[in-house]
Amino acid sequence: KFTWPPPVTVTSSVINGGTFPEPKRPNVLLSTSPITNTFSPYSQISKSVLDVATRLPMTMESYTYLDGIGQHLLSDKSATQSKLFESYGYFRLTNEMSIQQKGHGDATSLYNIACCCSRLADQNLATSASLLFIHPPAIIPNWIQSKEMCLDASISWLLQGICAGWKNHEHMMVDLDLEIVRSQRFAKFTIAVNLAKSGTL
């Protein structure tokens, strides 16, 4: 069975005056565990996307190249769930490039990830078959199949983008990619717009 929270050792660390027990690493028993997936960084990005990015130099040219592919996929107003999922992956990678180069997320990448999630929320779940046909089930996040979770994800990424420096609140108000988030997460979206407008984060 899966138990949460996991057992901890008696060893502890002191951080800022607080004591936090050092956790014991969970046992991984894939042969008997009902949990089918284990944590693997970026495992939920399409292999085809990762293959494109592999061994690219850490340069602005590479960022622009990956961003351009993501933008091309996202700009297709009839994009399938599979294309939007790939676009999401490209922007995840450009954001990671920013983290590795600058130590923080990239506002534009985070904003575009929010757009991908919003568009995914607007997809008919019947299109999931195309996603499963192209990508192995193990890499497809569960939240992609839930409209509500896609909407929540979009708001979360949008707020991260604002924290990273996104300030174009006027574009947020008219961006068709965010249309469903504006209407179905109105209160939270309004907060995001006001934060971007204030530019105080």
Side-chain angles (χ1 to χ4, degrees):
K1 67 179 182 178
F2 180 70
T3 303
W4 189 262
V8 297
T9 64
V10 296
T11 309
S12 61
S13 300
V14 177
I15 302 175
N16 293 334
T19 301
F20 299 88
E22 294 180 5
K24 180 180 178 182
R25 190 178 191 280
N27 293 322
V28 179
L29 301 173
L30 294 180
S31 59
T32 59
S33 173
I35 302 174
T36 56
N37 294 330
T38 56
F39 174 67
S40 178
Y42 293 102
S43 61
Q44 293 181 334
I45 291 180
S46 165
K47 183 178 183 299
S48 62
V49 174
L50 290 173
D51 287 345
V52 170
T54 299
R55 298 194 179 123
L56 283 177
M58 188 70 79
T59 62
M60 190 64 193
E61 184 179 11
S62 294
Y63 170 95
T64 302
Y65 171 65
L66 296 173
D67 177 75
I69 300 176
Q71 295 278 9
H72 173 71
L73 294 168
L74 183 60
S75 66
D76 181 356
K77 298 309 175 186
S78 61
T80 62
Q81 193 179 37
S82 179
K83 278 190 175 182
L84 293 171
F85 178 56
E86 289 188 9
S87 179
Y88 162 86
Y90 281 108
F91 295 130
R92 286 280 306 275
L93 293 178
T94 54
N95 186 59
E96 175 62 16
M97 288 186 76
S98 174
I99 292 172
Q100 290 189 24
Q101 288 184 307
K102 305 174 185 176
H104 60 78
D106 175 58
T108 301
S109 298
L110 293 164
Y111 178 86
N112 285 326
I113 293 171
C115 290
C116 290
C117 293
S118 176
R119 293 277 300 282
L120 283 165
D122 206 22
Q123 287 282 314
N124 188 318
L125 293 185
T127 63
S128 299
S130 68
L131 188 66
L132 291 168
F133 180 76
I134 297 174
H135 305 289
I139 75 164
I140 301 172
N142 291 332
W143 59 265
I144 279 188
Q145 311 303 323
S146 165
K147 177 179 180 179
E148 296 303 309
M149 292 180 75
C150 285
L151 289 169
D152 290 339
S154 180
I155 287 291
S156 177
W157 287 109
L158 189 57
L159 290 170
Q160 290 179 65
I162 294 166
C163 287
W166 181 269
K167 295 182 176 67
N168 195 343
H169 56 92
E170 294 177 346
H171 183 64
M172 290 168 62
M173 295 298 297
V174 297
D175 193 339
L176 293 178
D177 290 332
L178 297 176
E179 185 173 7
I180 189 171
V181 173
R182 279 196 299 271
S183 63
Q184 300 197 21
R185 290 292 185 273
F186 179 77
K188 291 182 178 179
F189 186 84
T190 301
I191 291 172
V193 168
N194 288 335
L195 288 171
K197 188 183 299 185
S198 69
T200 57
L201 289 179

